[in-house]
Amino acid sequence: LWHASVIVLVLLFIGGSDANPAARRHSQLDVNHKKQPLQTFRPYNIAHRGSNGEIPEETAAAYLRAIDEGTDFIETDILASEDGHLICFHDVTLDNTTDIASRTEFAGRKRTYEVQGVNMTGWFTVDFTLRELKSLRVKQRFSFRDQQYNGKYNILTFDEFILIALHADRVVGIYPEIKNPIFINQHVKWSGGKKFEDKFVETLLKYGYKGKYMSEDWLMKPLFIQSFAPTSLIYISNITNAPKLLLIDETTVPTQDTNQSYYEITSNGYLAFIRKYVIGIGPWKDTIIPPENNHLGPATDLVARAHALNLQVHPYTFRNENSYLHFNFHQDPYAEYEYWLREIGVDALFTDFTGSLHKYLEWTAPHQNKEKKCRGPPA
């Protein structure tokens, strides 16, 4: 029944709550009061773009499924439309996960832009209004996943995503990423000289998301903010004290804003610097344990060094399909969870399959331990 009520609510707010006074009135309600609280005694289950192993990513249905399957946080990527609305979408281009290529009315919108130092050609979110983006239909990214939901769902606004979390039947956290901030700030302009980061934080504050990690405010409306751009995280540290994580790409990819190498941003000196602004790091898992011929290689000391600085480690992305499981795990995602949580000792996992991770956590850590796993001081 609560699924039905959430869907009705989302329909009421369709088109983005920025232009809807009712959304602002509703945002004042303390919808998480007296709900079952967020569990904080075991590693966090982060639904990567929703339960997108089952349902197309970043859709209302994918997030509702993840909540139903027991996720602690629903994760999303935030970009912007031409008219300045914040949307939940992973790629700066619409090509891979929408029906844009078949929409003849938009054929002339294809462009080539430089993104992170590389020329990209496609249909970009920044060249479409929110109304136009809402007219598109989302599809599954990977051909080997279930295709039956293609064309059934549209793109969400950041407001709609937040409302899904707030109206769950228990406290569910949100985990938004400031996506490609340099590119967005180049192509989208807001009044009053505001930046992408300003609009992002304004939206969070509008719905009451604030407070240091594990504070009363945070526990009522749990939030992690993530980005691959260190300057964005540092900038927003001046306008919100909510906890933040620095995402870390593969070893060959420099940071998109400061052009620093993987080795620079994972050095002890840099980790000691960035911990003034973040509560943890989110590395690609193969940088923590580089594979060799699809077998696990020797683990690096990144997790140990981060933990020594009281930083959490939330690696990405865990997927159940055999093509993503190294041979050591014998086609068993539960064996992979076991290794990363018991042997490597990370603090959370980004997963495309919320249900299986929830089952593992329920089987192995169903009750609160005497010593909480939550790492890091309030940040």
Side-chain angles (χ1 to χ4, degrees):
L1 290 177
W2 81 266
H3 279 190
S5 66
V6 168
I7 291 169
V8 170
L9 181 69
V10 168
L11 289 175
L12 287 173
F13 287 85
I14 198 162
S17 301
D18 289 339
N20 189 336
R24 288 192 287 276
R25 289 197 300 272
H26 187 85
S27 72
Q28 305 306 314
L29 297 178
D30 187 5
V31 294
N32 280 348
H33 184 58
K34 294 185 179 179
K35 287 185 180 180
Q36 177 186 339
L38 177 76
Q39 72 77 21
T40 58
F41 64 91
R42 64 189 184 193
Y44 294 129
N45 181 338
I46 306 164
H48 182 241
R49 309 179 207 168
S51 189
N52 83 90
E54 302 172 72
I55 298 174
E57 64 187 49
E58 315 264 22
T59 60
Y63 292 122
L64 290 169
R65 176 68 61 87
I67 293 169
D68 194 44
E69 290 179 334
T71 193
D72 299 313
F73 288 84
I74 51 175
E75 188 262 357
T76 189
D77 306 279
I78 304 302
L79 291 169
S81 65
E82 182 182 50
D83 49 350
H85 291 277
L86 302 189
I87 62 169
C88 300
F89 205 75
H90 181 268
D91 302 351
V92 292
T93 58
L94 299 158
D95 305 39
N96 291 329
T97 56
T98 75
D99 61 351
I100 187 72
S102 65
R103 300 289 293 273
T104 55
E105 69 270 35
F106 298 134
R109 301 281 188 92
K110 208 167 191 178
R111 301 285 187 271
T112 298
Y113 293 131
E114 182 181 308
V115 183
Q116 292 180 234
V118 177
N119 284 336
M120 292 181 61
T121 299
W123 288 273
F124 289 80
T125 67
V126 295
D127 292 324
F128 293 81
T129 66
L130 179 61
R131 183 178 294 276
E132 290 171 330
L133 291 171
K134 282 284 188 183
S135 75
L136 301 175
R137 285 297 178 260
V138 178
K139 63 181 180 180
Q140 176 59 253
R141 179 180 294 272
F142 299 112
S143 61
F144 51 81
R145 290 181 174 170
D146 193 348
Q147 304 295 305
Q148 69 171 306
Y149 301 107
N150 290 351
K152 294 183 181 294
Y153 310 112
N154 63 4
I155 293 172
L156 290 177
T157 65
F158 193 13
D159 294 75
E160 290 166 341
F161 166 82
I162 289 173
L163 290 171
I164 289 172
L166 288 179
H167 288 272
D169 57 357
R170 55 188 172 82
V171 175
V172 173
I174 62 172
Y175 207 128
E177 178 184 345
I178 305 170
K179 198 77 180 177
N180 293 97
I182 292 178
F183 178 81
I184 295 299
N185 281 318
Q186 285 173 341
H187 293 272
V188 182
K189 302 301 177 186
W190 288 274
S191 61
K194 290 184 178 179
K195 299 169 57 176
F196 179 31
E197 292 88 346
D198 296 312
K199 299 297 292 185
F200 175 90
V201 174
E202 280 180 12
T203 304
L204 292 171
L205 293 176
K206 179 172 69 174
Y207 291 97
Y209 284 89
K210 59 184 179 180
K212 295 181 178 182
Y213 181 61
M214 298 301 291
S215 67
E216 185 177 347
D217 285 333
W218 187 87
L219 288 168
M220 186 66 70
K221 294 179 180 178
L223 161 72
F224 287 114
I225 297 170
Q226 54 174 331
S227 182
F228 285 99
T231 55
S232 285
L233 295 172
I234 293 170
Y235 178 85
I236 66 171
S237 293
N238 295 316
I239 48 179
T240 178
N241 61 355
K244 307 156 197 73
L245 279 92
L246 174 64
L247 297 175
I248 299 174
D249 214 321
E250 62 177 296
T251 57
T252 60
V253 179
T255 55
Q256 57 187 254
D257 54 342
T258 57
N259 200 36
Q260 292 171 282
S261 73
Y262 167 86
Y263 300 99
E264 287 179 277
I265 63 171
T266 59
S267 67
N268 288 336
Y270 191 80
L271 292 177
F273 160 75
I274 202 66
R275 73 182 294 272
K276 293 181 288 187
Y277 307 100
V278 304
I279 197 169
I281 57 174
W284 182 41
K285 64 178 183 176
D286 280 359
T287 65
I288 298 174
I289 310 175
E292 299 175 358
N293 299 319
N294 209 26
H295 289 80
L296 294 178
T300 69
D301 62 353
L302 179 59
V303 174
R305 291 190 293 109
H307 282 172
L309 290 167
N310 225 18
L311 290 167
Q312 293 190 35
V313 182
H314 299 183
Y316 65 92
T317 302
F318 290 79
R319 298 178 168 114
N320 288 14
E321 291 99 350
N322 294 342
S323 57
Y324 293 109
L325 289 167
H326 297 314
F327 292 148
N328 308 67
F329 303 121
H330 309 290
Q331 302 180 358
D332 181 358
Y334 296 103
E336 186 179 35
Y337 298 147
E338 178 84 7
Y339 180 79
W340 279 89
L341 295 175
R342 298 289 182 122
E343 299 297 324
I344 304 302
V346 296
D347 306 284
L349 300 178
F350 287 83
T351 178
D352 285 1
F353 293 88
T354 298
S356 61
L357 178 54
H358 180 69
K359 287 178 181 177
Y360 171 82
L361 292 169
E362 284 289 287
W363 292 334
T364 58
H367 304 295
Q368 183 164 346
N369 300 322
K370 290 182 180 179
E371 181 178 346
K372 289 188 177 182
K373 72 96 204 161
C374 289
R375 187 180 304 275

